[in-house]
Amino acid sequence: MARPRAFDETAALDAATDCFWRSGYAATSVRDLGAAMGLGAPSLYNAFGDKHALFTRCLDRYLDGNMRARIRRLESTLPPRAAIERFLEEVVARSLADPRGCLLVNTALEVAPHDAAIAELVADRLSELEGFFHRCLSVGQRDGTIAARRPARDVARLLLTTIMGLRVLARAHPEPALLKGAARQALSLLDPAAPD
Amino acid sequence: MARPRAFDETAALDAATDCFWRSGYAATSVRDLGAAMGLGAPSLYNAFGDKHALFTRCLDRYLDGNMRARIRRLESTLPPRAAIERFLEEVVARSLADPRGCLLVNTALEVAPHDAAIAELVADRLSELEGFFHRCLSVGQRDGTIAARRPARDVARLLLTTIMGLRVLARAHPEPALLKGAARQALSLLDPAAPD
DNA sequence: GGCGATCTGTAGCGGCTGCTATAGAAAATA
DNA sequence: TATTTTCTATAGCAGCCGCTACAGATCGCC
């Protein structure tokens, strides 16, 4: 029973996410956001609260749409070992193709250390990733497609560490051979033992 | 034959480095730097040029004093396998003890993507780290202390990736078991094959 | 002491920051 | 059509940004 909003909230959030993703949190001004989202500062503040709340909203959406959706897709369509392999392949491919890197990793380094609420959100998502790897490893170890001699928990932790590291390396030195070589060795932990 | 400087350049650079290290490049203002270094803006600009030049200077000093010195120390006092193990142990310990993380990693994510000169500097240092791992691996593979069935180049790349990843994880979720488990699995790539 | 040169402190430049007061535009209800 | 309610646009708040002009302080040299 009043004037409706003149903008598409989803499109606006996508535009804002791209700003934060490209430039980082601090380097993105509210004016930049307004311009990209196609709305003035008052509308922005009215609809999304302040800059920090908007960022949290964008980060949540990003993680749901990218990370969680990807985990679900891989875990439901591929056997566990292939799911792990595909995940790492996708991280390498995306790292090389998209100069923005991964918003989760960017945030873990830029925002989390100075913001307890964001740090908790990031830590939760990292645990979800670790859980994905751990589930795949456990199932794969039981069905014999993954070497069972290593503790699944620690291998999952190394895989998580590896994708973080790949994302960092790619942003300063995006060399395919480097990323692919590292990923290959991380995945070799899944192989059964070979003679020396 | 003129008025000499009233401050200690080394101490001033240390103070500036700490600012950049703690808060990042963008979030450190020239006024913050001046206050920490104990000198006014004109002295700062006269002695070190602008903010970007000062940052480059700090980063260079940091890398010489931390990374390169550490590589030299480990490589000259320890056998290759122990040097690698010690390096990873130190990364884990420092990541848990120092909330500032690693200035090289912070810079790789915050500055390098928007600054070609810094990106090149960072990429060079990453290559030096990879080279350190590669040399240790090659020697260790020859003397039999490191499994020889894996390509040293790719294992070096994974070790490099691992320390980057450990640094990222520690800043958002500094849990000892997580970092230590990941490091342990990365190091297990050096072990000879075990039965499945 | 006087001179020339370098350094330092004050003060301020234009421009940007996150955010908001105020007023006007647009739609649903009566 | 008049009213009510929400949204939007203009303009501007105080405060910070990187940087610098200017004047005064402090030294070596003559």
Side-chain angles (χ1 to χ4, degrees):
Chain A
M1 57 172 174
R3 177 177 178 178
R5 281 185 179 148
F7 63 91
D8 176 3
E9 189 172 295
T10 296
L13 284 173
D14 284 342
T17 302
D18 182 63
C19 287
F20 288 127
W21 198 351
R22 237 178 324 107
S23 311
Y25 178 76
T28 300
S29 75
V30 174
R31 280 166 182 80
D32 293 338
L33 291 166
M37 300 164 84
L39 42 83
S43 299
L44 194 157
Y45 279 90
N46 177 56
F48 303 105
D50 63 6
K51 181 184 173 184
H52 187 273
L54 174 58
F55 177 73
T56 305
R57 184 96 178 266
C58 288
L59 183 58
D60 256 329
R61 257 174 60 83
Y62 169 89
L63 292 167
D64 274 340
N66 283 50
M67 197 194 88
R68 282 175 162 150
R70 188 143 43 122
I71 288 176
R72 274 197 302 273
R73 172 170 54 84
L74 295 179
E75 210 165 3
S76 66
T77 63
L78 291 176
R81 174 167 186 142
I84 293 174
E85 290 171 346
R86 178 70 69 83
F87 196 100
L88 260 74
E89 283 165 17
E90 287 186 10
V91 167
V92 170
R94 288 174 190 227
S95 297
L96 291 169
D98 191 337
R100 297 172 300 180
C102 166
L103 184 57
L104 177 61
V105 178
N106 300 354
T107 302
L109 245 76
E110 190 205 344
V111 186
H114 314 293
D115 184 323
I118 296 289
E120 189 183 340
L121 199 157
V122 168
D124 284 350
R125 295 308 173 277
L126 294 176
S127 294
E128 282 184 33
L129 265 176
E130 186 188 337
F132 159 69
F133 286 129
H134 183 63
R135 287 192 302 276
C136 290
L137 287 163
S138 297
V139 175
Q141 286 183 333
R142 274 198 293 277
D143 72 20
T145 54
I146 292 174
R149 69 184 179 287
R150 301 175 193 276
R153 184 101 272 160
D154 283 355
V155 176
R157 286 165 170 160
L158 178 62
L159 291 172
L160 176 63
T161 304
T162 301
I163 62 177
M164 297 292 117
L166 289 172
R167 286 300 201 170
V168 172
L169 289 177
R171 294 213 78 185
H173 192 39
E175 195 193 293
L178 172 61
L179 308 188
K180 289 175 182 171
R184 196 180 313 123
Q185 285 306 312
L187 288 174
S188 78
L189 288 174
L190 313 187
D191 292 337
D196 226 347
Chain B
M1 57 173 176
R3 178 176 179 179
R5 282 187 178 147
F7 63 93
D8 176 3
E9 188 171 296
T10 297
L13 283 174
D14 284 342
T17 301
D18 181 64
C19 287
F20 287 128
W21 198 351
R22 236 178 325 106
S23 311
Y25 178 76
T28 300
S29 75
V30 174
R31 281 166 182 81
D32 294 337
L33 291 165
M37 299 164 85
L39 42 82
S43 298
L44 194 157
Y45 279 90
N46 178 56
F48 303 104
D50 63 6
K51 180 184 173 184
H52 187 272
L54 175 58
F55 176 73
T56 305
R57 184 98 177 264
C58 289
L59 182 58
D60 256 330
R61 257 174 59 84
Y62 170 88
L63 291 168
D64 274 340
N66 283 51
M67 196 193 88
R68 282 176 163 150
R70 187 143 43 122
I71 288 176
R72 274 195 303 271
R73 171 171 54 84
L74 294 179
E75 211 164 4
S76 66
T77 63
L78 291 176
R81 174 165 186 142
I84 293 175
E85 290 171 347
R86 178 71 69 82
F87 196 100
L88 259 74
E89 283 165 17
E90 287 186 9
V91 167
V92 169
R94 288 173 189 227
S95 297
L96 291 169
D98 192 338
R100 298 172 300 181
C102 166
L103 184 56
L104 177 61
V105 178
N106 300 354
T107 302
L109 243 75
E110 190 205 344
V111 186
H114 314 293
D115 184 324
I118 296 288
E120 189 182 342
L121 199 157
V122 169
D124 285 350
R125 296 307 173 275
L126 294 176
S127 294
E128 282 184 33
L129 266 176
E130 185 188 336
F132 160 70
F133 286 129
H134 183 62
R135 288 192 302 275
C136 290
L137 287 163
S138 297
V139 176
Q141 286 183 333
R142 273 197 294 275
D143 72 19
T145 55
I146 292 174
R149 71 184 179 287
R150 301 176 194 275
R153 185 103 270 159
D154 283 355
V155 177
R157 286 166 170 159
L158 178 62
L159 291 173
L160 177 63
T161 304
T162 301
I163 63 178
M164 297 292 117
L166 289 172
R167 286 301 200 170
V168 173
L169 289 177
R171 295 214 77 185
H173 192 37
E175 194 193 294
L178 171 60
L179 307 187
K180 289 176 182 171
R184 196 180 312 125
Q185 284 306 311
L187 289 174
S188 78
L189 288 174
L190 313 187
D191 293 336
D196 227 349

